[in-house]
Amino acid sequence: MTAGDVAGNSLSKERLRLWLRMLRVTRQVESELRERLRTEHDSTLPRFDVMAALYAAEEGLKMNELSKRLRVSNGNVTGIIDRLVEDGAVERIAIEGDRRATRVCLTVAGRDTFRGMAVEHERWINALFEGVSEEDAHHIGELLHRLPASPNDAH
Amino acid sequence: MTAGDVAGNSLSKERLRLWLRMLRVTRQVESELRERLRTEHDSTLPRFDVMAALYAAEEGLKMNELSKRLRVSNGNVTGIIDRLVEDGAVERIAIEGDRRATRVCLTVAGRDTFRGMAVEHERWINALFEGVSEEDAHHIGELLHRLPASPNDAH
DNA sequence: TGTGTAAAATTCAAGCTTAAAATGTTTAGG
DNA sequence: CCTAAACATTTTAAGCTTGAATTTTACACA
């Protein structure tokens, strides 16, 4: 982009260049993943992300926790869960003692579906990142720690 | 994500981890930028991207070129340009000799607006990437070249 | 007991995004 | 001249995303 043409010293320009490159790479990868999820699993990236979070949580999650974990707005999660429920991949379960909250769980079918997608997902990433050795991957990952990642990178 | 819990060897897991970290960082940065563009310039990231592309092209661009350059669908660009035209930041200019195509240009006001946003944008990035030295930035950038970036990274 | 505040979720309006279909326009071949 | 293919753009339907407003429920405390 040409934001760099407007102002700034050499360091800030190099950082800007880095940012633009990161943006380009991640968009490219995301676009590949989206395309394959769509054509090969009739699904989407947001659905995959939600299912991944639920798959990891044995007992499901409250809508609340889900949106915090995925760092997306709560209204957003509502819509995605609606569609996953329609698909039969997820169910909403009442929480006793608090009628405000709902627990959201993968169904058995949902778990199966997700397993299939996840295996392929890892294969896709592995292929897309073919040029990156284990050392490089580790190294870049370390460098990225200097960046404004968010808290609790793991779970 | 837990895709990693399902299958794969150590290399593919390291690549997956790298991908997830990249995704997290870029989303975080994008979210910061979006927020500031919204509150401080009453604008959005997609608008900023379009304006940046037009700012770089002295004579404007055809819708065609714009969507190729930004790697987004052509229908998408139509909508964003519609809004920028409403804002008075952009104008559509007929191309003589080809009534199919339109040239899209920043207005004088649009150029001014963009300059203001771009200066701040570079400052924001510079601040967000504070932990990254010029050497690191350059280094990470090089490593990212091994990744599925798209062709013509510059313009 | 009543009331106000906080919390959990949904709804809403606006905008972004895509793939696919539709609309016009140009151009090449016959 | 006609027509089929290629082109440039817009439209459409569906889904994602956000921030803000709304609804419902829980809880503290006077």
Side-chain angles (χ1 to χ4, degrees), chain A residues 98-133:
Chain A
D98 192 342
R99 278 182 300 175
R100 294 172 302 180
T102 324
R103 197 158 52 87
V104 176
C105 254
L106 282 183
T107 61
V108 173
R111 296 188 76 79
D112 281 353
T113 303
F114 176 73
R115 253 187 297 267
M117 295 195 298
V119 169
E120 286 211 74
H121 176 264
E122 184 167 336
R123 256 189 233 124
W124 297 335
I125 296 295
N126 194 45
L128 287 167
F129 283 53
E130 201 192 354
V132 180
S133 70

Side-chain angles (χ1 to χ4, degrees), chain B residues 3-101:
Chain B
D5 298 335
V6 179
N9 59 43
S10 149
L11 172 53
S12 102
K13 275 204 208 292
E14 192 66 35
R15 284 170 171 161
L16 187 57
R17 231 187 317 273
L18 172 58
W19 164 240
L20 295 174
R21 200 194 297 282
M22 286 180 57
L23 197 54
R24 195 166 289 234
V25 170
T26 50
R27 285 195 181 159
Q28 182 66 28
V29 172
E30 273 191 300
S31 149
E32 301 269 3
L33 296 178
R34 217 186 347 262
E35 166 74 3
R36 295 183 201 188
L37 280 175
R38 186 177 67 85
T39 59
E40 296 178 30
H41 293 275
D42 193 27
S43 189
T44 68
L45 216 35
R47 271 142 143 118
F48 180 82
D49 290 343
V50 166
M51 292 179 83
L54 292 179
Y55 188 85
E58 208 53 47
E59 292 304 312
L61 293 169
K62 293 195 294 180
M63 295 297 282
N64 221 357
E65 302 171 321
L66 200 44
S67 77
K68 254 197 276 290
R69 200 158 301 202
L70 300 176
R71 287 164 232 272
V72 298
S73 68
N74 37 8
N76 186 357
V77 175
T78 297
I80 297 172
I81 291 295
D82 282 350
R83 273 160 235 131
L84 285 172
V85 168
E86 275 179 36
D87 293 350
V90 156
E91 53 193 345
R92 283 188 234 246
I93 297 170
I95 288 182
E96 344 200 346
D98 192 343
R99 278 182 299 177
R100 294 171 300 182

Side-chain angles (χ1 to χ4, degrees), chain A:
Chain A
M1 297 309 150
T2 49
D5 298 334
V6 178
N9 58 42
S10 150
L11 172 54
S12 102
K13 275 203 209 292
E14 191 66 34
R15 285 169 172 163
L16 187 57
R17 232 187 317 273
L18 171 59
W19 164 240
L20 295 174
R21 200 195 297 284
M22 286 180 57
L23 197 52
R24 195 165 291 234
V25 170
T26 49
R27 284 197 180 157
Q28 183 65 29
V29 173
E30 273 191 299
S31 149
E32 301 269 2
L33 296 179
R34 218 186 347 261
E35 167 74 3
R36 295 183 201 187
L37 280 175
R38 186 179 66 86
T39 60
E40 296 178 31
H41 293 276
D42 193 29
S43 188
T44 68
L45 216 35
R47 271 142 144 117
F48 180 83
D49 289 344
V50 166
M51 292 179 82
L54 292 179
Y55 188 84
E58 208 53 47
E59 292 303 313
L61 294 169
K62 293 194 294 179
M63 295 298 281
N64 220 357
E65 302 171 321
L66 200 43
S67 77
K68 254 197 276 288
R69 201 158 300 202
L70 300 176
R71 286 164 231 272
V72 299
S73 67
N74 37 9
N76 186 357
V77 176
T78 297
I80 297 172
I81 291 295
D82 283 349
R83 284 175 281 272
L84 285 173
V85 168
E86 274 180 39
D87 293 351
V90 156
E91 53 192 346
R92 282 188 235 245
I93 298 170
I95 289 183
E96 344 201 344
D98 192 342
R99 278 182 300 175
R100 294 172 302 180
T102 324
R103 197 158 52 87
V104 176
C105 254
L106 282 183
T107 61
V108 173
R111 296 188 76 79
D112 281 353
T113 303
F114 176 73
R115 253 187 297 267
M117 295 195 298
V119 169
E120 286 211 74
H121 176 264
E122 184 167 336
R123 256 189 233 124
W124 297 335
I125 296 295
N126 194 45
L128 287 167
F129 283 53
E130 201 192 354
V132 180
S133 70
E134 187 157 358
E135 293 72 38
D136 282 348
H138 191 70
H139 188 44
I140 305 179
E142 284 305 312
L143 291 178
L144 288 184
H145 262 136
R146 299 202 189 8
L147 290 182
S150 23
N152 82 317
D153 210 322
H155 44 276

Side-chain angles (χ1 to χ4, degrees), chain B residues 115-146:
Chain B
R115 254 188 297 268
M117 293 194 300
V119 169
E120 286 212 74
H121 176 264
E122 184 168 335
R123 253 189 237 127
W124 296 335
I125 296 295
N126 193 45
L128 287 167
F129 283 53
E130 201 192 355
V132 180
S133 70
E134 188 157 358
E135 294 71 38
D136 282 348
H138 191 70
H139 187 44
I140 304 179
E142 284 305 311
L143 291 178
L144 288 184
H145 262 139
R146 299 202 190 7

